Amino acid sequence: MARTGGGPESGMLGSRDTSRMNELELTGRTRTHVVELERPRCTLHYAAVASFLAMRDAAAAAGIELAAASSFRDFDRQLHIWNAKWRGERPLLDRASRPLDPAALDEAARVDAILCWSALPGGSRHHWGSECDLVDTAAMPDGYRVQLVPEEYAPGGVFGRLSAWLDENMARFGFYRPYASAGCGAGVEPWHVSYWPVAGEALEGLTLPVLRRAVAGSDVLGRDAILERLPEIYTRFILAVDSPPQAGARASARPA
């Protein structure tokens, strides 16, 4: 069952134009474009719900209990994550998932280290409601604590079967991995899937001026260093993602 995100545009699914988001929606500063699902518990863009639930049902038929470790994340939540990492209250990891000492990093290096695994507030794809970090709860031993590291999704890892199933099936539901290769600015994230009919429009809408306004008006730590490098950050960490499958090589994104 889905619950609406509130506000005058909530209504029934499909009651609004779901392909275009306004500036506040693109930067996670409102929830007018998302709905909350109770089973599995997550928050998604209106236009992604039906396809996500269809993919969940298909995975269940294969013995996989698809769940979202993270889905929609608003600006304030992303800001909390960023600032906690900046202050050293959350771990900083390099691209090989090895711990870093924040106190040993200058501002530029600290920005780079955070961006490796966490998006800039206002620049997170999770703001769009098109993104999910997926796990298989059926594969988790009692008391297992999800880490969201590549080893969990490698063959033999706790989510290795989930990863293989996604490789074979997610495209027919409109999903793909935007951080699948080392050529992306951020680290490789096999858990992160994106609903491309929404994400493609959102990526076009999240321009550099839109991002700059969101960052400049925030309390993000390191703001001056971020704003000075924002064109580079925008290019390396927002635009530099893997592309969805070619249109001619994928099934329709609409569920049957």
Side-chain angles (χ1 to χ4, degrees), residues 63-94:
I64 293 170
E65 294 181 10
L66 206 62
S70 181
S71 51
F72 169 75
R73 193 181 304 138
D74 66 15
F75 184 95
D76 288 342
R77 179 60 181 161
Q78 197 68 33
L79 179 67
H80 174 79
I81 293 170
W82 179 280
N83 286 351
K85 288 193 172 185
W86 186 274
R87 292 189 293 257
E89 297 167 356
R90 282 176 170 244
L92 276 183
L93 304 177
D94 66 13

mmCIF file of all heavy atoms in Angstrom, residues 63-94:
data_model
loop_
_atom_site.group_PDB
_atom_site.id
_atom_site.type_symbol
_atom_site.label_atom_id
_atom_site.label_comp_id
_atom_site.label_asym_id
_atom_site.label_seq_id
_atom_site.Cartn_x
_atom_site.Cartn_y
_atom_site.Cartn_z
ATOM 1 N N GLY A 63 12.842 -16.222 -4.935
ATOM 2 C CA GLY A 63 13.312 -16.455 -3.575
ATOM 3 C C GLY A 63 14.108 -15.317 -2.979
ATOM 4 O O GLY A 63 14.795 -15.491 -1.976
ATOM 5 N N ILE A 64 14.003 -14.131 -3.593
ATOM 6 C CA ILE A 64 14.739 -12.955 -3.125
ATOM 7 C C ILE A 64 13.751 -11.969 -2.516
ATOM 8 O O ILE A 64 12.765 -11.601 -3.161
ATOM 9 C CB ILE A 64 15.505 -12.293 -4.290
ATOM 10 C CG1 ILE A 64 16.627 -13.220 -4.777
ATOM 11 C CG2 ILE A 64 16.077 -10.938 -3.874
ATOM 12 C CD1 ILE A 64 17.280 -12.760 -6.069
ATOM 13 N N GLU A 65 14.013 -11.542 -1.297
ATOM 14 C CA GLU A 65 13.161 -10.566 -0.624
ATOM 15 C C GLU A 65 13.785 -9.182 -0.795
ATOM 16 O O GLU A 65 14.623 -8.755 -0.004
ATOM 17 C CB GLU A 65 12.990 -10.913 0.854
ATOM 18 C CG GLU A 65 12.228 -12.199 1.089
ATOM 19 C CD GLU A 65 12.040 -12.511 2.564
ATOM 20 O OE1 GLU A 65 12.339 -11.640 3.409
ATOM 21 O OE2 GLU A 65 11.619 -13.635 2.868
ATOM 22 N N LEU A 66 13.353 -8.508 -1.852
ATOM 23 C CA LEU A 66 13.931 -7.220 -2.205
ATOM 24 C C LEU A 66 13.496 -6.159 -1.201
ATOM 25 O O LEU A 66 12.311 -6.003 -0.918
ATOM 26 C CB LEU A 66 13.456 -6.836 -3.605
ATOM 27 C CG LEU A 66 14.336 -5.911 -4.440
ATOM 28 C CD1 LEU A 66 15.693 -6.558 -4.705
ATOM 29 C CD2 LEU A 66 13.642 -5.609 -5.770
ATOM 30 N N ALA A 67 14.455 -5.440 -0.654
ATOM 31 C CA ALA A 67 14.166 -4.359 0.285
ATOM 32 C C ALA A 67 15.120 -3.211 0.008
ATOM 33 O O ALA A 67 16.206 -3.387 -0.562
ATOM 34 C CB ALA A 67 14.312 -4.831 1.725
ATOM 35 N N ALA A 68 14.703 -2.013 0.411
ATOM 36 C CA ALA A 68 15.514 -0.817 0.194
ATOM 37 C C ALA A 68 16.201 -0.418 1.493
ATOM 38 O O ALA A 68 15.536 -0.044 2.463
ATOM 39 C CB ALA A 68 14.646 0.321 -0.318
ATOM 40 N N ALA A 69 17.517 -0.515 1.524
ATOM 41 C CA ALA A 69 18.264 -0.001 2.667
ATOM 42 C C ALA A 69 18.184 1.509 2.701
ATOM 43 O O ALA A 69 18.279 2.131 3.763
ATOM 44 C CB ALA A 69 19.716 -0.459 2.590
ATOM 45 N N SER A 70 17.997 2.121 1.532
ATOM 46 C CA SER A 70 17.812 3.561 1.430
ATOM 47 C C SER A 70 17.068 3.841 0.133
ATOM 48 O O SER A 70 17.272 3.159 -0.872
ATOM 49 C CB SER A 70 19.167 4.281 1.444
ATOM 50 O OG SER A 70 18.995 5.677 1.380
ATOM 51 N N SER A 71 16.210 4.846 0.154
ATOM 52 C CA SER A 71 15.506 5.245 -1.060
ATOM 53 C C SER A 71 15.534 6.781 -1.135
ATOM 54 O O SER A 71 16.629 7.351 -1.149
ATOM 55 C CB SER A 71 14.077 4.679 -1.063
ATOM 56 O OG SER A 71 13.379 4.976 0.136
ATOM 57 N N PHE A 72 14.379 7.442 -1.150
ATOM 58 C CA PHE A 72 14.386 8.902 -1.146
ATOM 59 C C PHE A 72 15.083 9.418 0.105
ATOM 60 O O PHE A 72 14.879 8.920 1.211
ATOM 61 C CB PHE A 72 12.948 9.437 -1.189
ATOM 62 C CG PHE A 72 12.848 10.921 -0.933
ATOM 63 C CD1 PHE A 72 13.207 11.831 -1.911
ATOM 64 C CD2 PHE A 72 12.400 11.397 0.292
ATOM 65 C CE1 PHE A 72 13.113 13.202 -1.673
ATOM 66 C CE2 PHE A 72 12.301 12.753 0.537
ATOM 67 C CZ PHE A 72 12.660 13.662 -0.443
ATOM 68 N N ARG A 73 15.932 10.412 -0.098
ATOM 69 C CA ARG A 73 16.627 11.051 1.019
ATOM 70 C C ARG A 73 16.541 12.552 0.809
ATOM 71 O O ARG A 73 16.954 13.062 -0.235
ATOM 72 C CB ARG A 73 18.079 10.582 1.042
ATOM 73 C CG ARG A 73 18.842 10.919 2.325
ATOM 74 C CD ARG A 73 20.274 10.424 2.233
ATOM 75 N NE ARG A 73 20.350 8.996 1.961
ATOM 76 C CZ ARG A 73 21.218 8.451 1.107
ATOM 77 N NH1 ARG A 73 22.065 9.204 0.423
ATOM 78 N NH2 ARG A 73 21.230 7.148 0.931
ATOM 79 N N ASP A 74 16.003 13.260 1.782
ATOM 80 C CA ASP A 74 15.818 14.693 1.568
ATOM 81 C C ASP A 74 17.111 15.470 1.821
ATOM 82 O O ASP A 74 18.128 14.912 2.241
ATOM 83 C CB ASP A 74 14.654 15.238 2.407
ATOM 84 C CG ASP A 74 14.896 15.196 3.908
ATOM 85 O OD1 ASP A 74 16.057 15.023 4.343
ATOM 86 O OD2 ASP A 74 13.906 15.334 4.659
ATOM 87 N N PHE A 75 17.061 16.764 1.545
ATOM 88 C CA PHE A 75 18.247 17.609 1.650
ATOM 89 C C PHE A 75 18.806 17.592 3.066
ATOM 90 O O PHE A 75 20.019 17.469 3.273
ATOM 91 C CB PHE A 75 17.908 19.037 1.230
ATOM 92 C CG PHE A 75 19.086 19.967 1.204
ATOM 93 C CD1 PHE A 75 19.782 20.198 0.030
ATOM 94 C CD2 PHE A 75 19.515 20.621 2.358
ATOM 95 C CE1 PHE A 75 20.880 21.046 0.003
ATOM 96 C CE2 PHE A 75 20.607 21.471 2.351
ATOM 97 C CZ PHE A 75 21.287 21.688 1.167
ATOM 98 N N ASP A 76 17.924 17.722 4.057
ATOM 99 C CA ASP A 76 18.387 17.797 5.443
ATOM 100 C C ASP A 76 19.089 16.517 5.871
ATOM 101 O O ASP A 76 20.090 16.567 6.604
ATOM 102 C CB ASP A 76 17.220 18.098 6.371
ATOM 103 C CG ASP A 76 16.722 19.527 6.246
ATOM 104 O OD1 ASP A 76 17.475 20.373 5.700
ATOM 105 O OD2 ASP A 76 15.587 19.813 6.676
ATOM 106 N N ARG A 77 18.575 15.377 5.436
ATOM 107 C CA ARG A 77 19.225 14.113 5.775
ATOM 108 C C ARG A 77 20.594 14.018 5.117
ATOM 109 O O ARG A 77 21.572 13.582 5.738
ATOM 110 C CB ARG A 77 18.343 12.928 5.346
ATOM 111 C CG ARG A 77 18.948 11.559 5.625
ATOM 112 C CD ARG A 77 19.221 11.360 7.098
ATOM 113 N NE ARG A 77 19.829 10.056 7.356
ATOM 114 C CZ ARG A 77 20.497 9.760 8.466
ATOM 115 N NH1 ARG A 77 20.632 10.660 9.421
ATOM 116 N NH2 ARG A 77 21.014 8.553 8.615
ATOM 117 N N GLN A 78 20.694 14.423 3.851
ATOM 118 C CA GLN A 78 21.983 14.396 3.163
ATOM 119 C C GLN A 78 22.955 15.373 3.820
ATOM 120 O O GLN A 78 24.153 15.085 3.939
ATOM 121 C CB GLN A 78 21.798 14.744 1.687
ATOM 122 C CG GLN A 78 22.975 14.365 0.804
ATOM 123 C CD GLN A 78 23.139 12.857 0.676
ATOM 124 O OE1 GLN A 78 22.173 12.105 0.686
ATOM 125 N NE2 GLN A 78 24.380 12.397 0.551
ATOM 126 N N LEU A 79 22.438 16.505 4.258
ATOM 127 C CA LEU A 79 23.268 17.494 4.948
ATOM 128 C C LEU A 79 23.815 16.915 6.259
ATOM 129 O O LEU A 79 24.993 17.113 6.591
ATOM 130 C CB LEU A 79 22.439 18.747 5.228
ATOM 131 C CG LEU A 79 23.139 19.889 5.973
ATOM 132 C CD1 LEU A 79 24.246 20.488 5.109
ATOM 133 C CD2 LEU A 79 22.124 20.968 6.360
ATOM 134 N N HIS A 80 22.967 16.205 6.981
ATOM 135 C CA HIS A 80 23.410 15.576 8.239
ATOM 136 C C HIS A 80 24.533 14.575 7.980
ATOM 137 O O HIS A 80 25.536 14.542 8.715
ATOM 138 C CB HIS A 80 22.231 14.886 8.917
ATOM 139 C CG HIS A 80 22.610 14.088 10.124
ATOM 140 N ND1 HIS A 80 22.850 14.664 11.359
ATOM 141 C CD2 HIS A 80 22.812 12.746 10.290
ATOM 142 C CE1 HIS A 80 23.185 13.729 12.220
ATOM 143 N NE2 HIS A 80 23.162 12.558 11.609
ATOM 144 N N ILE A 81 24.376 13.756 6.948
ATOM 145 C CA ILE A 81 25.410 12.771 6.612
ATOM 146 C C ILE A 81 26.717 13.468 6.262
ATOM 147 O O ILE A 81 27.792 13.098 6.742
ATOM 148 C CB ILE A 81 24.935 11.873 5.454
ATOM 149 C CG1 ILE A 81 23.758 10.999 5.894
ATOM 150 C CG2 ILE A 81 26.079 11.014 4.922
ATOM 151 C CD1 ILE A 81 23.077 10.267 4.758
ATOM 152 N N TRP A 82 26.628 14.483 5.393
ATOM 153 C CA TRP A 82 27.829 15.215 4.959
ATOM 154 C C TRP A 82 28.545 15.844 6.157
ATOM 155 O O TRP A 82 29.754 15.674 6.338
ATOM 156 C CB TRP A 82 27.450 16.290 3.952
ATOM 157 C CG TRP A 82 28.632 17.086 3.481
ATOM 158 C CD1 TRP A 82 29.248 18.126 4.141
ATOM 159 C CD2 TRP A 82 29.376 16.897 2.269
ATOM 160 N NE1 TRP A 82 30.310 18.595 3.413
ATOM 161 C CE2 TRP A 82 30.407 17.870 2.270
ATOM 162 C CE3 TRP A 82 29.252 16.021 1.198
ATOM 163 C CZ2 TRP A 82 31.319 17.967 1.218
ATOM 164 C CZ3 TRP A 82 30.158 16.122 0.146
ATOM 165 C CH2 TRP A 82 31.174 17.086 0.162
ATOM 166 N N ASN A 83 27.803 16.589 6.965
ATOM 167 C CA ASN A 83 28.425 17.308 8.080
ATOM 168 C C ASN A 83 29.003 16.348 9.118
ATOM 169 O O ASN A 83 30.051 16.628 9.721
ATOM 170 C CB ASN A 83 27.414 18.254 8.728
ATOM 171 C CG ASN A 83 27.155 19.487 7.867
ATOM 172 O OD1 ASN A 83 27.837 19.723 6.875
ATOM 173 N ND2 ASN A 83 26.154 20.266 8.232
ATOM 174 N N ALA A 84 28.349 15.209 9.345
ATOM 175 C CA ALA A 84 28.883 14.225 10.281
ATOM 176 C C ALA A 84 30.200 13.647 9.767
ATOM 177 O O ALA A 84 31.141 13.416 10.541
ATOM 178 C CB ALA A 84 27.865 13.116 10.523
ATOM 179 N N LYS A 85 30.294 13.400 8.471
ATOM 180 C CA LYS A 85 31.550 12.904 7.913
ATOM 181 C C LYS A 85 32.629 13.991 7.966
ATOM 182 O O LYS A 85 33.803 13.698 8.229
ATOM 183 C CB LYS A 85 31.330 12.411 6.478
ATOM 184 C CG LYS A 85 30.543 11.115 6.398
ATOM 185 C CD LYS A 85 30.594 10.484 5.019
ATOM 186 C CE LYS A 85 29.966 9.102 5.026
ATOM 187 N NZ LYS A 85 30.104 8.406 3.733
ATOM 188 N N TRP A 86 32.239 15.219 7.719
ATOM 189 C CA TRP A 86 33.206 16.320 7.766
ATOM 190 C C TRP A 86 33.816 16.447 9.163
ATOM 191 O O TRP A 86 35.014 16.664 9.320
ATOM 192 C CB TRP A 86 32.511 17.619 7.381
ATOM 193 C CG TRP A 86 33.448 18.785 7.256
ATOM 194 C CD1 TRP A 86 33.870 19.621 8.262
ATOM 195 C CD2 TRP A 86 34.093 19.249 6.061
ATOM 196 N NE1 TRP A 86 34.724 20.566 7.772
ATOM 197 C CE2 TRP A 86 34.880 20.367 6.420
ATOM 198 C CE3 TRP A 86 34.065 18.831 4.725
ATOM 199 C CZ2 TRP A 86 35.635 21.082 5.494
ATOM 200 C CZ3 TRP A 86 34.819 19.545 3.805
ATOM 201 C CH2 TRP A 86 35.590 20.644 4.188
ATOM 202 N N ARG A 87 32.973 16.272 10.193
ATOM 203 C CA ARG A 87 33.448 16.398 11.576
ATOM 204 C C ARG A 87 34.114 15.129 12.094
ATOM 205 O O ARG A 87 34.618 15.108 13.217
ATOM 206 C CB ARG A 87 32.265 16.754 12.495
ATOM 207 C CG ARG A 87 31.697 18.147 12.272
ATOM 208 C CD ARG A 87 30.689 18.491 13.351
ATOM 209 N NE ARG A 87 29.504 17.650 13.262
ATOM 210 C CZ ARG A 87 28.336 18.043 12.750
ATOM 211 N NH1 ARG A 87 28.202 19.275 12.266
ATOM 212 N NH2 ARG A 87 27.313 17.218 12.714
ATOM 213 N N GLY A 88 34.106 14.062 11.311
ATOM 214 C CA GLY A 88 34.706 12.810 11.751
ATOM 215 C C GLY A 88 33.809 11.972 12.625
ATOM 216 O O GLY A 88 34.263 11.017 13.259
ATOM 217 N N GLU A 89 32.514 12.278 12.633
ATOM 218 C CA GLU A 89 31.557 11.519 13.437
ATOM 219 C C GLU A 89 31.061 10.275 12.710
ATOM 220 O O GLU A 89 30.480 9.390 13.331
ATOM 221 C CB GLU A 89 30.371 12.413 13.804
ATOM 222 C CG GLU A 89 30.771 13.602 14.659
ATOM 223 C CD GLU A 89 29.683 14.650 14.767
ATOM 224 O OE1 GLU A 89 28.624 14.491 14.119
ATOM 225 O OE2 GLU A 89 29.906 15.640 15.487
ATOM 226 N N ARG A 90 31.254 10.227 11.414
ATOM 227 C CA ARG A 90 30.976 9.044 10.603
ATOM 228 C C ARG A 90 32.259 8.667 9.881
ATOM 229 O O ARG A 90 33.076 9.531 9.561
ATOM 230 C CB ARG A 90 29.877 9.331 9.568
ATOM 231 C CG ARG A 90 28.473 9.322 10.128
ATOM 232 C CD ARG A 90 27.485 9.719 9.048
ATOM 233 N NE ARG A 90 26.113 9.502 9.467
ATOM 234 C CZ ARG A 90 25.272 8.653 8.899
ATOM 235 N NH1 ARG A 90 25.674 7.923 7.863
ATOM 236 N NH2 ARG A 90 24.040 8.510 9.340
ATOM 237 N N PRO A 91 32.441 7.381 9.565
ATOM 238 C CA PRO A 91 33.692 6.959 8.929
ATOM 239 C C PRO A 91 33.860 7.571 7.537
ATOM 240 O O PRO A 91 32.906 7.711 6.785
ATOM 241 C CB PRO A 91 33.566 5.438 8.839
ATOM 242 C CG PRO A 91 32.371 5.056 9.640
ATOM 243 C CD PRO A 91 31.548 6.262 9.856
ATOM 244 N N LEU A 92 35.104 7.905 7.232
ATOM 245 C CA LEU A 92 35.499 8.280 5.883
ATOM 246 C C LEU A 92 36.289 7.118 5.296
ATOM 247 O O LEU A 92 37.214 6.610 5.944
ATOM 248 C CB LEU A 92 36.375 9.534 5.893
ATOM 249 C CG LEU A 92 35.709 10.899 5.940
ATOM 250 C CD1 LEU A 92 36.771 11.987 5.866
ATOM 251 C CD2 LEU A 92 34.712 11.056 4.809
ATOM 252 N N LEU A 93 35.933 6.718 4.062
ATOM 253 C CA LEU A 93 36.597 5.587 3.413
ATOM 254 C C LEU A 93 37.180 6.025 2.079
ATOM 255 O O LEU A 93 36.608 6.881 1.382
ATOM 256 C CB LEU A 93 35.600 4.446 3.178
ATOM 257 C CG LEU A 93 34.846 3.919 4.403
ATOM 258 C CD1 LEU A 93 33.847 2.854 3.967
ATOM 259 C CD2 LEU A 93 35.808 3.367 5.441
ATOM 260 N N ASP A 94 38.307 5.425 1.709
ATOM 261 C CA ASP A 94 38.835 5.672 0.373
ATOM 262 C C ASP A 94 38.127 4.764 -0.622
ATOM 263 O O ASP A 94 37.195 4.038 -0.267
ATOM 264 C CB ASP A 94 40.357 5.495 0.344
ATOM 265 C CG ASP A 94 40.808 4.059 0.591
ATOM 266 O OD1 ASP A 94 39.972 3.126 0.541
ATOM 267 O OD2 ASP A 94 42.017 3.866 0.821
#
